[in-house]
Each structure stands twice: as structure tokens, then as C-alpha cells.
Amino acid sequence: MNQLSASAAPAPYPAISIHDMNKWYGDFHVLKSIDLHIASGEIVVVCGPSGSGKSTLIRCLNLLEDFQKGQVFIDGIELTRNAACVANIRRQVGMVFQQFNLFPHMTVLENLMLGPRLVSKLSEPQARELACEYLERVRIGNQADKYPSQLSGGQQQRVAIARALCMRPRIMLFDEPTSALDPEMVKEVLDVMGELAQDGITMVCVTHEMGFARRVADRIIFMDEGCIIEQAKPNEFFDHPQHERAREFLSQILSH
């Protein structure tokens, strides 16, 4: 199997290509003929009403959810159910969830060192150096020896982002990363994500934070009832939405 390239050279393929993706939960058709291509370094925000398939879509990109029909390519390599392929893709595709999923019995530093040691086979000093680098990157280097329960929600989510970055992914997926946070903690996480967006990493983010979407995204994807029904640059989407369902969604979410 080909290995995903870690070079910074211009990518010959889109970072993500989705062709005719369909997914069912029993009789419920949750994703309907999704076609989407995301360029290397592009920042894409996926939005839409609850139940529209947004989170399911990005969870299919590293087979946290399986899909029944269609193809996904990461940097030109097809995502298959082969265990080695899935493991290879997951090293290149970082994921940050609504819940932080940190190990409570490990310190912040130990949480970050685990993946590089087990998966990337780094030595303990190498993993420690890497973990410290990314804790500084998300502005919580002084929290390394604390346990997750000693941190605020915003700090825990920044630890989760740093943990994903420790695997040096080419692509980062965010599944409503601020939805479990108190309002005053949302900004600190969005600020870190905004800084990452300037680093050239490909990002796909499911979020209802429309200010962040307008400020940071290269493209907005709007989903409803399992379909992509509109996609546009942020200013076009927010100022001149083409689809009536998108107009309804924006009028509701921006009025809060």
C-alpha cells in the first residue's frame, strides 16, 4: 500500500474527495449521494440544522462511521476497510470531538504523549518534546502536569486539539468542538482553531459558530436532510444564500 506523503509540496490530489457517498441507519437514509472535493489547505465549515447529516459525514472520513455506498479518497488514496489502510489514514486525519475524550487517570502531558509513543513509535523524550511543543501552541503549556478534571472545559478542548496535532496530521476534522462548552470558553477554542487555519493544514469543521465560519472558512457547506444543498464562499453564503432552506437556517441562527 502507498504511504500518504508528508511533504509540503503542492498536492497532486485534493486532500479529500468524496464520490456518491450514501449511508443508511436501517431504513433511514442519512447521507444521500454526497459529492465533495476539498483542496489541500482549504478550510471548510459544514453547517445545517440538527439531523442533517453533518457529523455523520465527517465521521465517515476516517471510518468512525461506515458508509454503504460510494468512495472516499484522502490525498488520492482510497479509504478502504482494510485495517492497515484505516490505521494509515487515521495517522493523517486528526479528529476533535464535542466531548474531549481525555484519559482522566493521565496527566495532560501523558495524554498527549500516548499516541506518538504507541503509533509513531517515538521515544519518551521525543514524545515529551512534541507534546510540550503543541501544548504551547494551544497556549496551555503551564497545564502539562495537571489532570483533565483540574482544567476548564475550554482548556480540556485545547488539550484535545493538541493531542490530535501531536500525530502531525495533514487534515483536521472538528465535530462541533465548542458545543459542550460554556459560552465564555468558546472564544478561546475558536481562537486556537483560527490560528491553526493560518498554518496550511486542511480543516473540516462542523459548527454553529457562524462568526467563526465567516471569519475563517474558505467555503461554507450547507446540509439539510442528508444532502449538500448549497456551498459558497462565506460572504456569498451569509449575504446572498441561494436556497430557501439556507435562508431559513440563517435567519434562525443569526437571530440568537
Side-chain angles (χ1 to χ4, degrees), residues 86-138:
V86 173
N88 191 32
I89 293 292
R90 287 179 180 169
R91 282 194 291 270
Q92 300 292 332
V93 182
M95 183 114 184
V96 177
F97 303 88
Q98 299 176 40
Q99 302 300 328
F100 321 124
N101 296 334
L102 302 173
F103 291 110
H105 63 288
M106 293 182 175
T107 66
V108 166
L109 192 64
E110 289 167 343
N111 267 279
L112 266 64
M113 291 172 62
L114 189 63
R117 294 218 64 196
L118 292 180
V119 178
S120 303
K121 306 302 183 185
L122 297 188
S123 68
E124 183 172 347
Q126 288 173 323
R128 182 179 298 275
E129 181 180 358
L130 188 67
C132 289
E133 173 188 339
Y134 282 110
L135 285 176
E136 290 292 341
R137 182 73 180 78
V138 300

Coordinates of all heavy atoms in Angstrom, one line a residue, residues 86-138:
V86 N -6.9 1.9 7.2 CA -7.6 2.7 8.2 C -6.6 3.3 9.1 O -6.7 4.5 9.5 CB -8.7 1.9 8.9 CG1 -9.3 2.7 10.1 CG2 -9.8 1.5 8.0
A87 N -5.7 2.5 9.6 CA -4.7 3.0 10.6 C -3.8 4.1 9.9 O -3.5 5.1 10.5 CB -3.8 1.9 11.0
N88 N -3.5 3.9 8.6 CA -2.7 4.8 7.9 C -3.4 6.2 7.8 O -2.8 7.3 8.0 CB -2.3 4.3 6.6 CG -1.2 5.1 5.9 OD1 -0.4 5.7 6.5 ND2 -1.3 5.1 4.5
I89 N -4.7 6.1 7.4 CA -5.5 7.3 7.2 C -5.6 8.0 8.5 O -5.5 9.3 8.6 CB -6.9 6.9 6.6 CG1 -6.7 6.4 5.2 CG2 -7.8 8.1 6.7 CD1 -6.3 7.4 4.2
R90 N -5.9 7.3 9.6 CA -6.1 7.9 10.9 C -4.9 8.6 11.4 O -5.0 9.6 12.2 CB -6.7 6.9 11.9 CG -8.1 6.6 11.6 CD -8.7 5.6 12.5 NE -10.1 5.3 12.2 CZ -10.8 4.3 12.7 NH1 -10.2 3.5 13.7 NH2 -12.0 4.0 12.4
R91 N -3.7 8.2 11.0 CA -2.5 9.0 11.3 C -2.4 10.3 10.6 O -1.8 11.2 11.1 CB -1.2 8.1 11.0 CG -1.0 7.0 12.0 CD 0.4 6.5 11.8 NE 0.6 5.7 10.6 CZ 0.4 4.4 10.5 NH1 0.0 3.7 11.5 NH2 0.6 3.8 9.3
Q92 N -3.1 10.4 9.5 CA -3.0 11.6 8.7 C -4.3 12.5 8.9 O -4.2 13.7 8.5 CB -3.0 11.3 7.2 CG -1.7 10.5 6.8 CD -0.5 11.2 7.0 OE1 -0.4 12.4 6.9 NE2 0.6 10.5 7.3
V93 N -5.3 12.0 9.5 CA -6.5 12.7 9.7 C -6.9 12.8 11.2 O -7.3 11.8 11.8 CB -7.7 12.0 8.9 CG1 -9.0 12.8 9.1 CG2 -7.4 11.9 7.5
G94 N -6.6 14.0 11.8 CA -6.9 14.2 13.2 C -8.3 14.5 13.4 O -9.0 15.1 12.5
M95 N -8.9 14.2 14.6 CA -10.3 14.4 14.9 C -10.4 15.0 16.3 O -9.8 14.5 17.2 CB -11.1 13.1 14.7 CG -12.6 13.3 14.9 SD -13.5 12.9 13.4 CE -15.1 13.3 13.9
V96 N -11.3 16.0 16.4 CA -11.6 16.6 17.7 C -13.1 16.6 17.8 O -13.9 17.0 16.9 CB -11.1 18.1 17.7 CG1 -11.5 18.7 19.1 CG2 -9.6 18.1 17.6
F97 N -13.6 16.0 18.9 CA -15.0 15.7 19.1 C -15.7 16.8 20.0 O -15.0 17.7 20.6 CB -15.2 14.4 19.8 CG -14.5 13.2 19.0 CD1 -13.2 12.9 19.2 CD2 -15.3 12.5 18.1 CE1 -12.6 11.8 18.5 CE2 -14.7 11.5 17.3 CZ -13.4 11.1 17.6
Q98 N -17.0 16.7 20.1 CA -17.7 17.5 21.1 C -17.2 17.3 22.5 O -17.0 18.2 23.2 CB -19.2 17.2 21.0 CG -19.8 17.5 19.6 CD -21.3 17.1 19.6 OE1 -22.0 17.3 20.5 NE2 -21.7 16.5 18.5
Q99 N -17.1 16.0 22.9 CA -16.6 15.7 24.2 C -15.1 15.5 24.0 O -14.6 15.1 23.0 CB -17.3 14.4 24.7 CG -18.8 14.5 24.8 CD -19.2 15.6 25.7 OE1 -18.6 15.9 26.7 NE2 -20.4 16.2 25.5
F100 N -14.4 15.7 25.1 CA -12.9 15.8 25.0 C -12.2 14.5 24.9 O -11.1 14.4 24.3 CB -12.4 16.6 26.2 CG -13.3 17.8 26.5 CD1 -13.8 17.9 27.8 CD2 -13.6 18.7 25.6 CE1 -14.6 19.0 28.1 CE2 -14.5 19.8 25.9 CZ -15.0 19.9 27.2
N101 N -12.8 13.4 25.5 CA -12.3 12.1 25.4 C -10.9 12.0 25.9 O -10.1 11.2 25.3 CB -12.4 11.5 23.9 CG -13.8 11.4 23.4 OD1 -14.7 11.2 24.2 ND2 -14.0 11.5 22.2
L102 N -10.5 12.7 26.9 CA -9.2 12.6 27.5 C -9.2 11.5 28.6 O -10.2 11.2 29.2 CB -8.8 13.9 28.2 CG -8.8 15.1 27.2 CD1 -8.5 16.4 28.1 CD2 -7.7 15.0 26.2
F103 N -8.1 10.8 28.8 CA -8.0 9.8 29.8 C -7.9 10.5 31.1 O -6.9 11.2 31.4 CB -6.8 8.9 29.5 CG -6.9 8.0 28.3 CD1 -6.1 8.2 27.2 CD2 -7.8 7.0 28.3 CE1 -6.3 7.4 26.1 CE2 -8.0 6.1 27.2 CZ -7.2 6.4 26.1
P104 N -8.8 10.3 32.0 CA -8.9 11.0 33.3 C -7.7 10.7 34.2 O -7.4 11.5 35.1 CB -10.2 10.7 33.9 CG -10.6 9.4 33.3 CD -10.0 9.4 31.9
H105 N -7.2 9.4 34.1 CA -6.1 9.0 35.0 C -4.8 9.4 34.6 O -3.8 9.1 35.2 CB -6.2 7.5 35.2 CG -6.0 6.7 33.9 ND1 -6.9 6.7 32.9 CD2 -4.9 6.0 33.5 CE1 -6.4 6.0 31.9 NE2 -5.2 5.5 32.3
M106 N -4.7 10.1 33.4 CA -3.4 10.5 32.9 C -3.3 12.0 33.0 O -4.3 12.7 32.8 CB -3.2 10.1 31.4 CG -3.1 8.6 31.2 SD -2.8 8.3 29.4 CE -2.5 6.5 29.5
T107 N -2.1 12.5 33.2 CA -1.9 14.0 33.1 C -2.1 14.5 31.7 O -2.1 13.7 30.8 CB -0.5 14.4 33.6 OG1 0.5 13.9 32.7 CG2 -0.2 13.9 35.0
V108 N -2.2 15.8 31.6 CA -2.3 16.4 30.2 C -1.1 15.9 29.4 O -1.3 15.5 28.2 CB -2.3 17.9 30.4 CG1 -2.1 18.6 29.0 CG2 -3.7 18.4 31.0
L109 N 0.1 16.0 29.9 CA 1.3 15.6 29.1 C 1.2 14.1 28.7 O 1.5 13.8 27.6 CB 2.5 15.9 29.9 CG 3.9 15.8 29.2 CD1 3.9 16.9 28.1 CD2 5.0 15.9 30.2
E110 N 0.8 13.3 29.6 CA 0.7 11.8 29.3 C -0.3 11.6 28.3 O -0.2 10.7 27.4 CB 0.4 11.1 30.6 CG 1.6 11.0 31.6 CD 1.2 10.5 33.0 OE1 0.0 10.5 33.3 OE2 2.1 10.2 33.7
N111 N -1.5 12.3 28.3 CA -2.5 12.1 27.3 C -1.9 12.4 25.9 O -2.2 11.7 24.9 CB -3.7 13.1 27.5 CG -4.8 12.4 28.3 OD1 -5.6 11.7 27.8 ND2 -4.8 12.7 29.6
L112 N -1.1 13.5 25.8 CA -0.5 13.9 24.5 C 0.6 12.9 24.0 O 0.8 12.7 22.8 CB 0.0 15.3 24.6 CG -1.0 16.4 24.1 CD1 -2.2 16.5 25.0 CD2 -0.3 17.7 24.0
M113 N 1.3 12.4 25.0 CA 2.5 11.5 24.6 C 2.0 10.1 24.2 O 2.8 9.4 23.5 CB 3.4 11.4 25.8 CG 4.2 12.6 26.1 SD 5.1 12.5 27.7 CE 6.2 11.2 27.3
L114 N 0.8 9.7 24.5 CA 0.4 8.3 24.3 C 0.4 8.0 22.8 O 1.0 7.0 22.4 CB -1.0 8.1 24.9 CG -1.5 6.7 24.9 CD1 -0.6 5.8 25.8 CD2 -3.0 6.6 25.4
G115 N -0.3 8.8 22.0 CA -0.3 8.4 20.5 C 1.1 8.4 19.9 O 1.4 7.4 19.2
P116 N 1.9 9.5 20.0 CA 3.2 9.4 19.4 C 4.0 8.2 19.9 O 4.8 7.7 19.1 CB 3.8 10.8 19.9 CG 2.6 11.7 20.1 CD 1.6 10.8 20.6
R117 N 3.9 7.8 21.1 CA 4.7 6.7 21.6 C 4.1 5.4 21.0 O 4.9 4.5 20.5 CB 4.7 6.6 23.1 CG 5.4 7.8 23.7 CD 6.2 7.4 25.0 NE 7.3 6.5 24.6 CZ 7.9 5.7 25.5 NH1 7.6 5.7 26.8 NH2 8.9 4.9 25.1
L118 N 2.8 5.2 21.0 CA 2.3 3.9 20.6 C 2.2 3.8 19.1 O 2.5 2.7 18.5 CB 0.9 3.7 21.2 CG 0.8 3.5 22.7 CD1 -0.7 3.3 23.1 CD2 1.6 2.3 23.2
V119 N 1.8 4.8 18.4 CA 1.5 4.8 17.0 C 2.8 5.2 16.2 O 3.2 4.5 15.3 CB 0.3 5.7 16.6 CG1 0.1 5.6 15.1 CG2 -0.9 5.2 17.4
S120 N 3.4 6.3 16.5 CA 4.5 6.8 15.8 C 5.8 6.2 16.3 O 6.9 6.5 15.7 CB 4.6 8.3 15.8 OG 3.4 8.9 15.4
K121 N 5.8 5.5 17.4 CA 7.0 4.8 18.0 C 8.1 5.8 18.3 O 9.3 5.5 18.2 CB 7.5 3.8 17.0 CG 6.4 2.7 16.5 CD 5.8 2.0 17.7 CE 4.8 0.9 17.2 NZ 4.1 0.3 18.3
L122 N 7.7 7.0 18.8 CA 8.7 7.9 19.3 C 9.2 7.5 20.6 O 8.5 6.8 21.4 CB 8.1 9.3 19.4 CG 7.6 10.0 18.1 CD1 7.2 11.5 18.4 CD2 8.6 9.9 17.0
S123 N 10.4 7.9 20.9 CA 11.0 7.6 22.3 C 10.3 8.5 23.3 O 9.6 9.5 22.9 CB 12.5 7.9 22.3 OG 12.7 9.3 22.1
E124 N 10.4 8.2 24.5 CA 9.8 9.1 25.5 C 10.2 10.5 25.5 O 9.4 11.5 25.5 CB 10.0 8.5 26.9 CG 9.3 9.3 28.0 CD 9.3 8.7 29.4 OE1 9.7 7.5 29.5 OE2 9.0 9.4 30.4
P125 N 11.5 10.8 25.4 CA 12.0 12.2 25.2 C 11.4 12.9 24.0 O 11.0 14.1 24.0 CB 13.5 12.1 25.2 CG 13.8 10.8 25.9 CD 12.7 9.9 25.5
Q126 N 11.4 12.2 22.9 CA 10.8 12.8 21.6 C 9.4 13.1 21.8 O 8.9 14.2 21.4 CB 11.0 11.8 20.5 CG 12.5 11.6 20.0 CD 12.6 10.5 19.0 OE1 11.9 9.5 19.0 NE2 13.5 10.7 18.0
A127 N 8.6 12.1 22.4 CA 7.2 12.4 22.6 C 6.9 13.5 23.5 O 6.0 14.3 23.3 CB 6.5 11.1 23.1
R128 N 7.7 13.6 24.6 CA 7.6 14.7 25.5 C 7.8 16.0 24.9 O 7.1 17.0 25.1 CB 8.5 14.5 26.7 CG 8.4 15.5 27.8 CD 9.4 15.2 28.9 NE 9.1 13.9 29.5 CZ 8.2 13.7 30.5 NH1 7.6 14.8 31.0 NH2 8.0 12.5 31.0
E129 N 8.9 16.1 24.1 CA 9.2 17.4 23.4 C 8.1 17.8 22.5 O 7.7 18.9 22.4 CB 10.5 17.2 22.6 CG 10.9 18.5 21.9 CD 12.3 18.3 21.1 OE1 12.9 17.2 21.2 OE2 12.7 19.3 20.5
L130 N 7.5 16.8 21.7 CA 6.4 17.1 20.8 C 5.2 17.5 21.6 O 4.5 18.5 21.2 CB 6.1 15.8 20.0 CG 5.1 15.9 18.9 CD1 5.7 16.8 17.7 CD2 4.8 14.5 18.3
A131 N 4.9 16.8 22.7 CA 3.7 17.2 23.4 C 3.8 18.6 24.0 O 2.9 19.4 24.0 CB 3.5 16.2 24.6
C132 N 5.0 18.9 24.5 CA 5.2 20.3 25.1 C 5.1 21.3 24.0 O 4.5 22.4 24.2 CB 6.6 20.4 25.8 SG 6.7 19.4 27.3
E133 N 5.6 21.0 22.8 CA 5.5 22.0 21.7 C 4.1 22.3 21.4 O 3.7 23.5 21.2 CB 6.2 21.4 20.5 CG 6.0 22.2 19.2 CD 6.5 21.4 17.9 OE1 7.3 20.5 18.1 OE2 6.1 21.8 16.8
Y134 N 3.2 21.3 21.3 CA 1.8 21.6 20.9 C 1.0 22.1 22.1 O 0.0 22.8 21.9 CB 1.2 20.3 20.3 CG 1.6 20.1 18.9 CD1 2.5 19.1 18.5 CD2 1.2 21.1 17.9 CE1 2.9 19.0 17.2 CE2 1.7 20.9 16.6 CZ 2.5 19.9 16.3 OH 2.9 19.8 15.0
L135 N 1.3 21.8 23.3 CA 0.7 22.5 24.4 C 1.0 24.0 24.4 O 0.1 24.8 24.7 CB 1.1 21.9 25.8 CG 0.5 20.5 26.1 CD1 1.1 20.0 27.4 CD2 -1.0 20.6 26.2
E136 N 2.2 24.3 24.1 CA 2.5 25.8 23.9 C 1.7 26.3 22.8 O 1.2 27.5 22.8 CB 4.0 26.0 23.7 CG 4.8 25.7 24.9 CD 4.6 26.7 26.1 OE1 4.1 27.8 25.8 OE2 5.0 26.3 27.2
R137 N 1.6 25.5 21.7 CA 0.9 26.0 20.5 C -0.6 26.4 20.8 O -1.1 27.3 20.2 CB 0.9 24.9 19.5 CG 0.3 25.2 18.1 CD 1.2 26.2 17.4 NE 0.6 26.5 16.1 CZ -0.4 27.4 15.9 NH1 -0.9 28.0 16.9 NH2 -0.9 27.7 14.7
V138 N -1.2 25.6 21.7 CA -2.6 25.9 22.1 C -2.7 26.7 23.4 O -3.8 26.8 24.0 CB -3.5 24.6 22.1 CG1 -3.5 23.9 20.8 CG2 -3.0 23.7 23.2

